[in-house]
DNA sequence: ACCCCTTTGAAGAGC
DNA sequence: GCTCTTCAAAGGGGT
């Protein structure tokens, strides 16, 4: 475990873990809302815990018993992760433990024996019937693209140090021209868009079988800078990362409309509203996206809140190496997002969602409208 | 139709 | 620098 350097493990935030980690009883209360009986739930959760512990490497099982080593990824630890990633780029990604990462993370159709093996990359790849595997789309990366970041180059792209230096870095990943983003050619297109699901010509998400990266399939998605002001490419094909500023299921609604209506009409409809560029997914979100289907299949649960609780527990049960892979992917996602949308800020989407319950409660107490205040602050 | 729930992490704002 | 808030995905459930 490369990241478990001596002297660094004890300060990895056991307290935070204990705080954030919910009690078993609490879990039961939550999941009781499902159709399961208490016993079924207990069995389910017991099996989940067992499964997590069994499937884990012995180090993970041991780690669970060592609350003091439970991870909390503070910035320091993230840096550590980056350090791990660097190591893993040269080690994990190329070592026998992670041969060809992320290419190992292929969906079942592409790996004859892709089931989880304790000795293999334990992060099982789940065939998502509803979407492209976020990691699968990393396949276009070459091994060179996943080579370790050059030691002389910073890898933490969260530091807004400008795109140019990132270009120097990401150009290795995405073959960016020296000029940076503005010179990204359509041919590069969306090979470098790992998270956003591949869309069928009709805009519907495709299973792996049809979304397996290929130059032709990805070339359908032009670069953001090739888009028109509404985020729609002149061809009428929507940008996968840009969604209309409506509520849930934006992709589906939007994509269907793209299929059904002439381009000009759609363009006209979309013009008045500024497209929404979503936040890049963090490590846990990437993990959830990958594992959700598996949990649903195993637990026959469909309620996302319950699924997410399970996924949260499993996330904690992962070894640091396993988590590191997702942190690394998330880091690359952020890099890519920053490349594609240099001027985008997370603040752009503030207020897009409706006010939350907590805010409403505050409102009832204070009479304030926090989100409106946000808007005032922002503007 | 819309919001809540539930999770973790990233980012922004405020102090 | 620390704390708090919001959003990212997901989809069943509630209003």
């Amino acid at each position: 475990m490369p990241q478990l350097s001596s002297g660094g493990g004890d300060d990895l935030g056991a307290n935070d873990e204990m705080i954030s980690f919910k009690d078993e009883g609490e879990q039961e209360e939550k999941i009781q809302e499902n159709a399961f009986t208490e016993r079924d739930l207990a069995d389910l959760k017991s099996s989940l815990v067992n499964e997590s512990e069994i499937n884990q490497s012995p180090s993970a099982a041991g780690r669970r018993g060592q609350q003091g080593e439970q991870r909390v990824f503070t910035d320091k630890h993230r840096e550590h992760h980056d350090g791990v990633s660097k190591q893993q780029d040269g080690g994990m990604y190329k070592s026998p433990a992670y041969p060809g990462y992320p290419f190992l993370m292929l969906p079942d159709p592409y790996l004859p024996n892709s089931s989880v093996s304790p000795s293999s990359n334990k992060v099982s790849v789940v065939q998502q019937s509803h979407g492209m595997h976020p990691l699968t789309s990393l396949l276009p990366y070459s091994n060179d693209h996943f080579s370790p970041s050059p030691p002389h180059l910073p890898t933490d792209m969260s530091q807004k140090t400008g795109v140019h230096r990132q270009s120097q870095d990401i150009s290795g990943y995405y073959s960016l021209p020296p000029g940076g983003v503005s010179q990204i050619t359509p041919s590069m297109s969306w090979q470098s868009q790992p998270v956003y699901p591949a869309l069928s010509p009709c805009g519907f998400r495709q299973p792996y079988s049809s979304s397996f990266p290929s130059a032709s399939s990805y070339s359908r998605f032009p670069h953001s800078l090739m888009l028109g002001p509404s985020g729609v490419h002149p061809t009428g094909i929507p940008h996968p990362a840009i969604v209309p500023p409506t509520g849930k299921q934006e992709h589906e609604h939007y994509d269907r409309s793209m299929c059904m209506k002439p381009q000009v009409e759609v363009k006209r409809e979309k013009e008045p509203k500024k497209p929404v560029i979503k936040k890049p997914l963090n490590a846990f979100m990437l993990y959830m996206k990958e594992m959700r289907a598996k949990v649903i299949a195993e637990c026959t649960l469909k309620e996302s809140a319950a699924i997410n609780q399970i996924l949260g527990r499993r996330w904690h049960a992962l070894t640091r190496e396993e988590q590191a892979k997702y942190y690394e992917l998330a880091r690359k996602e952020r890099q890519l997002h920053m490349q594609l949308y240099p001027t985008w800020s997370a603040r752009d989407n503030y207020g897009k969602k409706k006010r939350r319950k907590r805010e409403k409660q505050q409102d009832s107490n204070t009479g304030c409208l926090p989100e409106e205040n946000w808007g005032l602050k922002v503007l």
Side-chain angles (χ1 to χ4, degrees):
Chain A
M1 298 179 71
Q3 69 274 41
L4 291 176
S5 58
S6 60
D10 291 340
D11 62 345
L12 291 181
N15 292 337
D16 287 356
E17 164 103 1
M18 293 180 70
I19 292 173
S20 62
F21 214 72
K22 289 201 170 183
D23 183 70
E24 287 287 319
E26 192 173 347
Q27 295 288 326
E28 287 188 1
E29 291 179 8
K30 301 291 182 182
I31 306 180
Q32 274 179 0
E33 298 173 359
N34 298 297
F36 294 91
T37 64
E38 283 191 7
R39 177 168 182 172
D40 289 338
L41 283 171
D43 291 343
L44 165 63
K45 284 184 285 185
S46 174
S47 65
L48 287 172
V49 172
N50 291 337
E51 185 254 7
S52 296
E53 294 179 348
I54 290 172
N55 282 350
Q56 282 189 22
S57 62
S59 61
R63 187 172 43 75
R64 283 180 61 85
Q66 302 172 357
Q67 289 291 333
E69 286 194 355
Q70 290 291 335
R71 75 200 64 69
V72 167
F73 292 95
T74 61
D75 288 341
K76 175 182 177 181
H77 301 141
R78 291 192 194 102
E79 290 177 3
H80 182 65
H81 261 299
D82 282 344
V84 169
S85 299
K86 290 172 186 175
Q87 279 186 328
Q88 290 166 341
D89 283 341
M92 177 177 80
Y93 299 151
K94 294 178 180 178
S95 69
Y98 299 92
Y101 170 83
F103 307 101
L104 185 67
M105 303 170 78
L106 286 168
D108 292 350
Y110 307 103
L111 285 181
N113 297 315
S114 61
S115 58
V116 177
S117 168
S119 61
S120 65
N121 183 350
K122 187 189 151 294
V123 179
S124 59
V125 177
V126 179
Q127 176 71 41
Q128 287 191 332
S129 59
H130 57 284
M132 178 179 177
H133 193 292
L135 308 177
T136 304
S137 53
L138 288 172
L139 288 168
Y141 302 151
S142 69
N143 273 321
D144 289 338
H145 294 164
F146 267 86
S147 63
S149 301
H152 61 285
L153 290 177
T155 57
D156 186 358
M157 306 312 292
S158 63
Q159 303 171 358
K160 299 220 169 188
T161 54
V163 175
H164 300 301
R165 189 175 62 176
Q166 296 167 19
S167 299
Q168 187 180 4
D169 185 7
I170 295 183
S171 60
Y173 288 87
Y174 308 111
S175 303
L176 294 181
V181 174
S182 61
Q183 295 185 22
I184 296 175
T185 61
S187 61
M188 131 179 209
S189 72
W190 282 94
Q191 293 188 12
S192 55
Q193 184 54 271
V195 169
Y196 310 106
L199 303 175
S200 72
C202 226
F204 294 110
R205 296 175 180 178
Q206 289 281 338
Y208 288 111
S209 57
S210 59
S211 63
F212 194 73
S214 67
S216 60
S217 64
Y218 279 95
S219 63
R220 290 200 302 271
F221 306 113
H223 184 267
S224 59
L225 296 180
M226 302 292 293
L227 301 175
S230 63
V232 178
H233 187 270
T235 62
I237 299 173
H239 191 295
I242 300 178
V243 295
T246 54
K248 289 183 175 181
Q249 309 301 330
E250 296 101 335
H251 287 296
E252 283 75 6
H253 294 161
Y254 190 63
D255 298 340
R256 285 183 189 129
S257 68
M258 295 301 294
C259 285
M260 307 283 284
K261 298 176 181 178
Q263 298 172 10
V264 176
E265 185 178 343
V266 171
K267 206 170 181 177
R268 191 183 307 143
E269 286 183 1
K270 299 300 174 185
E271 273 178 355
K273 294 183 179 180
K274 188 178 180 180
V276 176
I277 300 172
K278 297 283 191 173
K279 288 178 68 173
L281 303 189
N282 62 37
F284 179 70
M285 287 293 152
L286 291 170
Y287 173 75
M288 281 210 311
K289 212 166 182 177
E290 180 180 346
M291 298 300 292
R292 173 177 298 279
K294 181 181 179 183
V295 172
I296 290 174
E298 290 179 354
C299 306
T300 66
L301 286 171
K302 289 187 177 179
E303 197 171 344
S304 290
I307 297 293
N308 292 347
Q309 283 188 342
I310 294 171
L311 287 169
R313 294 173 61 192
R314 289 193 179 191
W315 174 254
H316 283 280
L318 291 179
T319 65
R320 292 180 180 179
E321 290 92 339
E322 290 161 345
Q323 286 190 345
K325 292 186 294 187
Y326 293 97
Y327 281 109
E328 179 67 7
L329 286 174
R331 187 180 66 82
K332 294 184 187 308
E333 286 296 325
R334 291 195 301 275
Q335 289 179 8
L336 175 62
H337 196 275
M338 201 178 300
Q339 279 282 302
L340 295 175
Y341 317 107
T343 60
W344 181 89
S345 168
R347 194 182 66 179
D348 296 348
N349 291 354
Y350 276 26
K352 300 291 184 184
K353 286 191 172 181
K354 302 300 180 184
R355 295 162 55 202
R356 319 211 104 171
K357 184 179 180 180
R358 194 184 312 158
E359 296 170 358
K360 291 180 180 177
Q361 291 173 346
Q362 286 181 348
D363 293 350
S364 64
N365 295 332
T366 65
C368 296
L369 296 176
E371 200 150 90
E372 293 179 2
N373 292 340
W374 267 109
L376 291 174
K377 291 173 187 173
V378 170
L379 300 176

